[in-house]
Amino acid sequence: MEIKTLENIDITLSPTSKINEVDFENISFGNTFTDHMLVCDFADGKWQQPKIVPYAPITLDPSAKVFHYGQAIFEGMKAYKDDQDDVWLFRPEQNHDRFNKSAVRMCMPEVPEDIFLGGLKKLLQIEKDWVKKGQGNSLYIRPFMFASGKGVVAAPAQFYKFMILLSPAKAYYSGEVKVLIAEHYSRAANGGIGAAKAAGNYAGQFYPTKLANEKGYQQVIWTDDATHTKLEEAGTMNVFFRINDILYTAPTSERILDGITRKSLIELAKRENINVEVRSVLVDELVTAAKDGSLKEIFGAGTAAVVNPIVGFGYKEEYYELPKLENSLALELKAKLTNIQYKKADDTFGWTVKI
Amino acid sequence: MEIKTLENIDITLSPTSKINEVDFENISFGNTFTDHMLVCDFADGKWQQPKIVPYAPITLDPSAKVFHYGQAIFEGMKAYKDDQDDVWLFRPEQNHDRFNKSAVRMCMPEVPEDIFLGGLKKLLQIEKDWVKKGQGNSLYIRPFMFASGKGVVAAPAQFYKFMILLSPAKAYYSGEVKVLIAEHYSRAANGGIGAAKAAGNYAGQFYPTKLANEKGYQQVIWTDDATHTKLEEAGTMNVFFRINDILYTAPTSERILDGITRKSLIELAKRENINVEVRSVLVDELVTAAKDGSLKEIFGAGTAAVVNPIVGFGYKEEYYELPKLENSLALELKAKLTNIQYKKADDTFGWTVKI
């Protein structure tokens, strides 16, 4: 695909840049932002003129509905720079599509493509120096929208703010990740908002994750809330299991986010003739496979880490260590996917989009 | 109980008041605020000096976690004025207690009693002219807290803002309320955050409620997400069913809010020798009772409306009209409860607290 740059946008450039103050070699994920941001207000039933302005605090009425009723959604994307200094996005139309699905579920207005993708392109053109070359480096992109309309009445707002922030990122390394399978807490309900990238889905995970941290686990593997027998997501990522030489991942549903890394890994695995089956994996099945040695790998899949290998899992007070493999499918797939993202391998899927 | 006024608080009074601009006879719920608000920041691991300041917009970094991860909770309370011009609260310690339970579930710091209740008392002393006398009039109180800490990383924030807003209210009249029983959508998961007054719980209800509105229903009766067979809440309220002369309401759980109006109505009903049973009511049971005429009443219970009678319900494309009763338990209990709140009846429970 090609993104048409949004030209009908008000631009106020920052008189100075922070870029020389940033130590790009030692940057923690999600805490440093570029010089500019995109802002567009929804009012009177329509999107107003989008603006690119210097990164700055925003001012809201304390009764703005985002503070009280949680109407807020986001996306996570990345921009990469190739060896020719061109900047690339990875399947950005998928993020735009999912963003609007989240918007519908949260009763918020959809954001048109020209503002979401065209505005992002313009913003990236201005901030292109913030995208650093080199495997692992990227510019993390955070499009988000929240209810700015006033009033402590539990009903959808009339006013919204759509924004895009950019944050330079190094390769995401989370250390050795052990996961704890949820026996009691849950991430999403049947008929709930688990498939939306809704803000409230994330805050609900913090407490169970804290309890897992206290037991020595970095993340929780979420199970279905009704029976806690089906493995669904790992932390804020989709999750894959390799039993013998078959990769399994749960089908997307109302409870499970339709992850773009997840679906890309499935397509990539198929191209590479890796057996991949999209079906629910049961907790019992995992425990049995861990005991008989057929469980080879578990990994999370998401935009921030791309692929996040897991070294072991806990369940019912038992810890199951995974084998250390020479030929990890997680690392093979991660290498192949990031090579596409960094334009070091042929993009046979047409996933990458030039800025 | 008695609330100790918080004296260690910085107060900046507004040079002018909006009170004479407000038409108290024609006021819509939740849209008008008094001259002042309470603000207290959590930073460096502790609550900072609380402040009462003129009501004004607040400024936040666009990466504040409330916008991205939905760490936000609130409470709803009311202040009433009696014929002697004294201002009263109703079971405020219950709201404080529940607020802190919500805080724990959302990985947020608890707010101490001196700031929550003592600060509220000080704020109400300043704003006492905004509490109008007369049955139905009240000053709605909105304590809330959200994550103000920066960073697009899905982890609990280090900085929070606790605030109290006050909004004058008339008797809440919602017109004739018809409810639609949820067959697909859900409000809360087992092991989720349904028992917390978390912002994200509310936004998730907007879309299913909109679909119900389009079918001519004002609210949704939420059912358990796993089987959709148990009746749990109505809109943003707890719900009671009267079958013959027994009142039923679901037990509180992880999925159901521990409503203060709900628990007060249960205690009041017991005192009045009304049969009240706390147990799950099944959808099938309700439909059978509606068909054989034993279903007499359904009503919601919550702070805003106190008691909200329901005229009929829809289920599987059928509409079931409720009888129009001479002796409605809903209205009897509402009258008895509001008489306690307005100090027109003896408060044998010790529920009311003087400001």
Side-chain angles (χ1 to χ4, degrees):
Chain A
M1 75 168 297
E2 201 190 328
I3 300 172
K4 232 183 123 195
T5 310
L6 180 66
E7 298 298 348
N8 184 20
I9 185 167
D10 292 343
I11 298 176
T12 308
L13 292 180
S14 173
T16 57
S17 175
K18 296 170 291 191
I19 197 163
N20 291 325
E21 294 157 31
V22 175
D23 176 3
F24 282 88
E25 292 306 308
N26 297 291
I27 207 160
S28 72
F29 189 86
N31 289 307
T32 303
F33 297 93
T34 66
D35 295 319
H36 302 89
M37 61 188 190
L38 183 143
V39 187
C40 191
D41 286 306
F42 184 87
D44 304 325
K46 61 177 194 287
W47 288 102
Q48 307 295 310
Q49 177 79 351
K51 291 179 284 195
I52 289 174
V53 295
Y55 187 97
I58 49 179
T59 296
L60 290 166
D61 194 88
S63 77
K65 286 179 193 254
V66 64
F67 299 128
H68 302 270
Y69 306 116
Q71 262 189 307
I73 60 172
F74 70 92
E75 274 298 322
M77 312 165 67
K78 278 180 176 172
Y80 306 91
K81 195 171 259 179
D82 68 14
D83 291 339
Q84 286 71 48
D85 278 337
D86 284 322
V87 174
W88 297 83
L89 293 173
F90 182 73
R91 308 186 81 177
E93 75 289 354
Q94 296 278 336
N95 294 94
H96 175 238
D97 183 55
R98 188 172 64 183
F99 190 79
N100 280 343
K101 283 182 180 150
S102 298
V104 168
R105 182 61 183 84
M106 305 309 284
C107 248
M108 300 168 85
E110 294 177 63
V111 177
E113 183 177 319
D114 63 334
I115 296 176
F116 189 106
L117 293 179
L120 171 60
K121 185 169 182 175
K122 193 83 197 174
L123 183 63
L124 285 170
Q125 285 168 347
I126 292 170
E127 304 289 52
K128 62 180 186 305
D129 292 346
W130 289 83
V131 197
K132 295 296 176 191
K133 267 192 280 203
Q135 200 90 353
N137 292 329
S138 66
L139 187 61
Y140 181 77
I141 299 163
R142 172 55 60 94
F144 65 112
M145 169 168 49
F146 61 86
S148 52
K150 303 178 204 181
V152 292
V153 185
Q158 301 298 311
F159 298 86
Y160 296 87
K161 210 176 263 293
F162 170 69
M163 299 183 70
I164 304 177
L165 308 181
L166 303 176
S167 175
K170 293 283 294 174
Y172 193 95
Y173 180 66
S174 49
E176 289 214 332
V177 176
K178 295 176 185 173
V179 293
L180 183 62
I181 295 177
E183 292 170 50
H184 174 80
Y185 290 103
S186 302
R187 186 189 161 272
N190 297 296
I193 59 170
K197 273 190 94 73
N201 283 335
Y202 294 79
Q205 300 186 27
F206 293 166
Y207 180 71
T209 303
K210 189 180 87 164
L211 297 181
N213 294 162
E214 287 166 6
K215 291 183 170 180
Y217 296 92
Q218 285 70 45
Q219 291 291 351
V220 174
I221 293 203
W222 303 104
T223 49
D224 67 296
D225 80 303
T227 67
H228 296 292
T229 59
K230 293 177 201 156
L231 298 159
E232 305 214 313
E233 291 198 18
T236 59
M237 296 180 288
N238 294 111
V239 63
F240 286 76
F241 306 94
R242 175 181 168 194
I243 299 176
N244 291 318
D245 282 322
I246 303 179
L247 274 185
Y248 298 93
T249 191
T252 57
S253 72
E254 281 179 321
R255 294 192 307 267
I256 300 182
L257 195 77
D258 185 10
I260 294 155
T261 307
R262 171 190 172 281
K263 71 171 80 168
S264 303
L265 291 175
I266 293 170
E267 292 183 58
L268 201 51
K270 285 181 179 165
R271 190 191 71 181
E272 299 297 313
N273 291 315
I274 296 165
N275 280 315
V276 52
E277 285 189 25
V278 177
R279 72 154 170 88
S280 290
V281 175
L282 302 178
V283 179
D284 281 354
E285 207 178 344
L286 192 76
V287 170
T288 303
K291 285 179 178 166
D292 71 18
S294 58
L295 179 64
K296 306 296 184 194
E297 296 180 70
I298 307 178
F299 56 93
T303 294
V306 187
V307 166
N308 202 353
I310 288 163
V311 300
F313 70 91
Y315 182 61
K316 289 198 192 290
E317 310 301 325
E318 289 277 330
Y319 176 66
Y320 301 86
E321 182 90 19
L322 292 177
K324 286 173 184 46
L325 298 183
E326 298 262 313
N327 303 307
S328 153
L329 285 183
L331 297 183
E332 180 190 335
L333 287 170
K334 179 175 184 170
K336 288 201 191 307
L337 189 61
T338 53
N339 280 340
I340 292 173
Q341 291 170 333
Y342 286 92
K343 306 299 288 180
K344 294 188 179 299
D346 265 359
D347 174 13
T348 56
F349 299 99
W351 285 339
T352 54
V353 178
K354 197 170 176 174
I355 286 300
Chain B
M1 73 167 299
E2 202 190 328
I3 300 171
K4 232 182 124 195
T5 310
L6 180 65
E7 298 299 348
N8 185 19
I9 185 166
D10 292 343
I11 298 175
T12 308
L13 292 179
S14 173
T16 57
S17 174
K18 296 170 292 191
I19 196 165
N20 292 324
E21 294 157 31
V22 174
D23 177 3
F24 282 88
E25 292 305 308
N26 297 290
I27 207 161
S28 72
F29 189 87
N31 289 307
T32 303
F33 297 93
T34 66
D35 294 320
H36 302 89
M37 61 188 191
L38 183 144
V39 188
C40 191
D41 286 307
F42 183 88
D44 303 324
K46 62 177 195 288
W47 288 102
Q48 307 295 311
Q49 177 78 352
K51 292 178 282 193
I52 289 174
V53 296
Y55 187 98
I58 49 179
T59 297
L60 289 167
D61 194 88
S63 77
K65 286 181 192 251
V66 64
F67 300 129
H68 303 270
Y69 305 117
Q71 262 190 308
I73 60 171
F74 71 92
E75 275 297 323
M77 312 164 68
K78 279 181 177 173
Y80 306 91
K81 196 170 257 178
D82 68 13
D83 290 340
Q84 286 72 49
D85 278 337
D86 284 323
V87 174
W88 297 83
L89 293 172
F90 182 74
R91 310 186 80 175
E93 75 289 355
Q94 295 278 334
N95 294 95
H96 175 238
D97 183 56
R98 187 172 63 184
F99 190 79
N100 280 343
K101 283 182 181 150
S102 298
V104 169
R105 181 62 184 84
M106 304 311 284
C107 248
M108 302 166 83
E110 295 178 62
V111 177
E113 184 178 317
D114 63 334
I115 296 176
F116 189 105
L117 293 179
L120 171 60
K121 185 169 181 175
K122 194 81 197 174
L123 183 62
L124 286 170
Q125 286 167 348
I126 292 170
E127 303 289 51
K128 62 183 186 303
D129 293 345
W130 289 83
V131 198
K132 294 298 177 190
K133 267 193 281 203
Q135 200 89 356
N137 293 328
S138 66
L139 187 61
Y140 181 78
I141 299 163
R142 171 55 61 94
F144 65 112
M145 171 168 46
F146 60 85
S148 53
K150 304 179 204 181
V152 293
V153 186
Q158 301 297 313
F159 298 85
Y160 295 87
K161 211 175 260 294
F162 170 69
M163 300 183 70
I164 304 177
L165 309 181
L166 304 176
S167 175
K170 294 284 294 174
Y172 193 94
Y173 180 68
S174 49
E176 290 213 332
V177 175
K178 295 175 184 173
V179 292
L180 183 64
I181 294 177
E183 293 171 49
H184 175 81
Y185 290 103
S186 303
R187 184 188 162 274
N190 297 295
I193 59 170
K197 273 189 94 76
N201 284 335
Y202 293 79
Q205 300 187 27
F206 293 167
Y207 180 70
T209 304
K210 188 180 88 164
L211 297 181
N213 293 163
E214 287 166 5
K215 289 182 171 181
Y217 296 92
Q218 285 69 45
Q219 292 290 351
V220 174
I221 292 202
W222 303 104
T223 49
D224 67 294
D225 81 301
T227 66
H228 295 293
T229 58
K230 293 176 201 156
L231 300 159
E232 305 213 314
E233 291 198 18
T236 59
M237 296 179 288
N238 293 112
V239 63
F240 286 75
F241 305 94
R242 176 183 169 194
I243 299 176
N244 290 318
D245 282 322
I246 303 179
L247 273 185
Y248 298 93
T249 192
T252 57
S253 72
E254 281 179 321
R255 294 192 308 267
I256 301 181
L257 194 77
D258 185 9
I260 294 154
T261 307
R262 171 191 172 281
K263 70 170 81 166
S264 303
L265 291 175
I266 293 170
E267 291 183 59
L268 200 52
K270 284 180 179 165
R271 188 190 74 181
E272 299 296 313
N273 292 315
I274 295 165
N275 280 315
V276 52
E277 284 188 26
V278 177
R279 71 153 170 89
S280 289
V281 175
L282 301 178
V283 179
D284 281 353
E285 208 179 343
L286 192 77
V287 169
T288 303
K291 284 180 178 165
D292 71 17
S294 58
L295 179 65
K296 305 297 184 194
E297 295 180 69
I298 306 177
F299 56 93
T303 294
V306 188
V307 166
N308 201 353
I310 287 163
V311 301
F313 70 90
Y315 182 62
K316 288 197 191 291
E317 310 300 325
E318 289 277 329
Y319 176 67
Y320 302 85
E321 182 91 18
L322 293 177
K324 285 173 186 47
L325 299 182
E326 298 262 314
N327 303 309
S328 152
L329 285 183
L331 297 184
E332 181 190 333
L333 287 170
K334 178 175 185 170
K336 289 201 193 305
L337 189 61
T338 54
N339 280 340
I340 292 172
Q341 291 170 332
Y342 287 93
K343 305 300 287 181
K344 294 189 180 299
D346 265 359
D347 174 13
T348 57
F349 299 99
W351 285 339
T352 54
V353 177
K354 198 170 174 173
I355 287 300

